[in-house]
Amino acid sequence: MQTIIIILYTLSLTVIFLYSLAQLNLLFNYFKAKKKIDNSPVYDLSNPEQTPFVTIQLPLYNELYVVERLLVNIAKIDYPKNKLEIQVLDDSTDESLAATQILIDDLKAKGLPIHHITRTNRTGFKAGALKEGLAIAKGEYIAIFDSDFVPNPDWLQKTVPYFKDAKIGVVQTRWAHLNRDYSILTKIQAFALDFHFVLEQVGRNFGHHFINFNGTAGIWRKECILDAGNWQGDTLTEDLDLSYRAQLNKWDFKYLEEVETPAELPIAISAARSQQFRWNKGAAENFQKLYGRLLKDPTVSFKTKFHSFFHLLNSSMFLLVLLVAILSVPVLYIKNSNPAFSSIFRITAFFAVSTIIFFICYWVTYKRIHGGGFKNFIKYIAMFIAFFSIAMGFSVHNSLAVLEGHFGKKSEFIRTPKFNINALSDSWKSNIYLKKSFSINTVLESLLFLYFGFAIASAFYMGDYGLITFHIMLFCGFGFVAFKSIFSRI
């Protein structure tokens, strides 16, 4: 049994190390991209003959709290009205449906080319709504915004021009965060998303590897969507699915780091859980659906296949982190009771370099958003520790989502409740979309909180502090997630 534990522990650390090397390569790509001058051909939108027709799609489902902010903001988009249409793809089943209709009627009376499109069922969920809207869309290009996004008026002016390159299928922009500093929960979500939108998207795009349309704050060439097989609702992340199918069909993607699109982060732990579940399960579903096809494609380079492997399995790292965490306690006891394994432990200590790589990569991202300097570096260290602690605290929840994705268990597209709140207050707790429920995951997280408390005590008992920092982070992470889930219950 001891040998099996050591083998599983070492293999998990090895895969995590390979993942960190992929991230390190993206960091090098990021630095190279910063030095490159963009000479992409662009449309001159001041010339009506070069101004293409654009359709903006706004998929909605029971968005009572944010729909007015969304529509008022979209009405400010700076683009010729004779070259623009707005589709409100509304699958709502509650009171927001009538409220949205009133808002749309008012905007239409003011001359905005906006249409309210409803369905009698949610076939295909968001993907189904986008597909139905696409069938009647007049635009050559299709911009998509989720309900919690508030693009700046010049958003189309900054994105549409890049489609002059006929190979470009998608232009994706970077998410910004309206309520980044609302709480520790929003801060760590922003920390993680910034890493994806700064280092990963830029690094992959510069290296000509597959990137993903992020479901919102991006714009598609209609021809690209159709050529790739249109929207499909057989995974929970239809955006990642279509992105890979489009790039397998040799469409290029353009990522614009400098163009920010502000959005709201979930402020309740239940809302963050539902979002994390959908993203993590959907990534696993897409690995099962697409990676075999990508692996067999002789026109895709080995390096792109390597990066795509870890891109699609990004969420599956939670399984390995959870496995390493759980095994680390028996490993601590094996280390102190069986000298025969001493050489193995000296080798596994090398994998601490993974942490160093992640620390450097996340610092580059943090500095890009917040600036450098000693004070910001100290703040970064605290945020890095908090982020990884709480991320590990979510590992049970996310691992179960990943397992469901890999084993093909189907589930509904669960929307993330939106709040439209920026200041610290308790008013959000009356949100009618929040579900008050107790999950078995919370029981497991509570037990792991106690388990890693035992691990910390064991370190003092044996006088071996090699893993104590790791165990303290796990203890705090599982404690945070469990207590927030139990006492907020929303």
Side-chain angles (χ1 to χ4, degrees):
M1 178 59 73
Q2 289 186 353
T3 302
I4 293 173
I5 289 173
I6 297 301
I7 290 173
L8 288 174
Y9 185 74
T10 304
L11 285 176
S12 298
L13 286 174
T14 301
V15 177
I16 292 171
F17 173 67
L18 291 174
Y19 174 66
S20 73
L21 291 181
Q23 302 302 90
L24 183 61
N25 180 251
L26 294 181
L27 177 64
F28 293 149
N29 285 350
Y30 178 79
F31 287 138
K32 292 176 184 176
K34 295 284 93 180
K35 297 178 181 178
K36 183 180 178 182
I37 298 174
D38 190 351
N39 294 314
S40 302
V42 293
Y43 284 125
D44 177 10
L45 296 186
S46 65
N47 181 354
E49 293 184 1
Q50 291 195 35
T51 304
F53 202 108
V54 174
T55 297
I56 296 176
Q57 291 187 324
L58 308 174
L60 301 179
Y61 178 65
N62 296 349
E63 304 290 3
L64 182 64
Y65 299 99
V66 293
V67 66
E68 182 175 3
R69 180 181 67 183
L70 171 69
L71 294 180
V72 168
N73 189 77
I74 291 296
K76 298 175 183 177
I77 290 287
D78 178 19
Y79 205 78
K81 296 298 184 287
N82 65 328
K83 295 289 185 74
L84 179 69
E85 73 167 349
I86 300 166
Q87 292 182 338
V88 180
L89 306 173
D90 196 350
D91 283 357
S92 298
T93 57
D94 67 353
E95 60 192 283
S96 67
L97 185 65
T100 300
Q101 183 63 63
I102 293 171
L103 290 167
I104 289 173
D105 289 343
D106 180 59
L107 291 172
K108 190 178 292 187
K110 295 177 181 177
L112 192 69
I114 186 168
H115 312 284
H116 196 192
I117 301 170
T118 61
R119 300 193 298 168
T120 56
N121 61 69
R122 292 185 71 205
T123 302
F125 305 109
K126 179 181 176 181
L130 293 171
K131 185 176 182 179
E132 288 199 22
L134 187 71
I136 58 174
K138 299 176 183 177
E140 183 181 353
Y141 304 107
I142 313 294
I144 300 171
F145 299 104
D146 282 348
S147 61
D148 51 336
F149 279 73
V150 286
N152 294 317
D154 62 353
W155 194 91
L156 289 177
Q157 302 287 337
K158 290 182 175 180
T159 56
V160 171
Y162 290 97
F163 284 105
K164 186 171 185 179
D165 182 345
K167 295 184 295 183
I168 297 293
V170 173
V171 175
Q172 174 67 50
T173 65
R174 177 167 61 87
W175 295 5
H177 314 294
L178 294 169
N179 57 337
R180 171 193 297 274
D181 296 322
Y182 180 87
S183 68
I184 184 62
L185 184 62
T186 58
K187 286 179 181 179
I188 63 167
Q189 289 176 86
F191 188 83
L193 288 169
D194 288 341
F195 179 74
H196 170 67
F197 281 98
V198 172
L199 189 139
E200 290 187 323
Q201 289 286 63
V202 172
R204 290 189 184 114
N205 201 213
F206 178 82
H208 303 290
H209 308 310
F210 287 13
I211 69 169
N212 59 296
F213 165 65
N214 293 103
T216 177
I219 180 167
W220 285 82
R221 187 188 298 269
K222 185 177 181 179
E223 179 190 353
C224 174
I225 297 175
L226 297 175
D227 178 68
N230 215 323
W231 295 104
Q232 297 174 9
D234 56 343
T235 73
L236 291 180
T237 46
E238 71 294 321
D239 46 2
L240 180 60
D241 173 27
L242 184 58
S243 297
Y244 264 69
R245 286 188 279 118
Q247 288 166 107
L248 282 166
N249 279 14
K250 310 310 174 190
W251 288 96
D252 291 339
F253 281 27
K254 180 76 174 180
Y255 181 67
L256 303 179
E257 181 196 359
E258 301 302 323
V259 181
E260 294 185 355
T261 310
E264 178 185 305
L265 295 162
I267 61 175
I269 195 164
S270 59
R273 278 181 180 276
S274 66
Q275 187 179 73
Q276 288 286 310
F277 186 90
R278 186 174 72 251
W279 288 350
N280 287 299
K281 181 174 180 176
E285 288 176 326
N286 275 293
F287 178 84
Q288 295 297 328
K289 178 177 179 177
L290 297 165
Y291 193 72
R293 176 184 167 188
L294 186 146
L295 191 63
K296 296 174 185 176
D297 191 330
T299 65
V300 178
S301 70
F302 170 80
K303 198 168 185 179
T304 294
K305 290 175 181 177
F306 176 78
H307 276 286
S308 296
F309 178 83
F310 284 108
H311 185 193
L312 292 172
L313 283 184
N314 185 291
S315 63
S316 299
M317 292 299 111
F318 282 105
L319 272 172
L320 297 179
V321 169
L322 182 61
L323 185 61
V324 167
I326 292 173
L327 292 179
S328 66
V329 179
V331 161
L332 181 65
Y333 278 87
I334 294 170
K335 178 183 176 185
N336 283 274
S337 63
N338 195 335
F341 288 107
S342 59
S343 59
I344 298 295
F345 290 115
R346 283 194 292 271
I347 294 172
T348 57
F350 166 77
F351 292 115
V353 72
S354 300
T355 303
I356 297 172
I357 291 172
F358 289 132
F359 185 85
I360 295 170
C361 289
Y362 276 87
W363 165 241
V364 170
T365 298
Y366 188 89
K367 186 169 68 170
R368 161 67 178 82
I369 301 296
H370 301 277
F374 180 74
K375 287 185 178 180
N376 270 342
F377 183 68
I378 297 301
K379 290 179 181 177
Y380 164 72
I381 294 173
M383 184 55 62
F384 181 83
I385 294 171
F387 164 69
F388 274 94
S389 297
I390 296 173
M392 288 188 290
F394 272 100
S395 62
V396 168
H397 177 79
N398 291 341
S399 293
L400 292 173
V402 166
L403 288 173
E404 284 192 13
H406 283 305
F407 286 103
K409 181 181 178 181
K410 295 299 179 182
S411 56
E412 287 193 4
F413 186 104
I414 305 299
R415 63 179 294 282
T416 303
K418 314 299 192 308
F419 301 89
N420 193 8
I421 185 170
N422 297 309
L424 192 63
S425 75
D426 290 331
S427 61
W428 58 269
K429 294 184 178 181
S430 62
N431 188 302
I432 62 175
Y433 301 126
L434 287 171
K435 293 183 177 180
K436 299 184 179 182
S437 60
F438 192 83
S439 169
I440 187 64
N441 291 359
T442 304
V443 176
L444 295 175
E445 289 153 0
S446 300
L447 291 174
L448 286 169
F449 166 68
L450 298 175
Y451 180 71
F452 292 111
F454 168 75
I456 295 169
S458 297
F460 285 98
Y461 174 74
M462 291 182 286
D464 186 339
Y465 305 105
L467 292 172
I468 194 166
T469 301
F470 183 46
H471 288 153
I472 289 173
M473 291 174 66
L474 288 161
F475 177 75
C476 294
F478 280 107
F480 175 87
V481 173
F483 279 86
K484 287 284 286 185
S485 299
I486 292 169
F487 292 108
S488 69
R489 297 293 300 277
I490 44 181

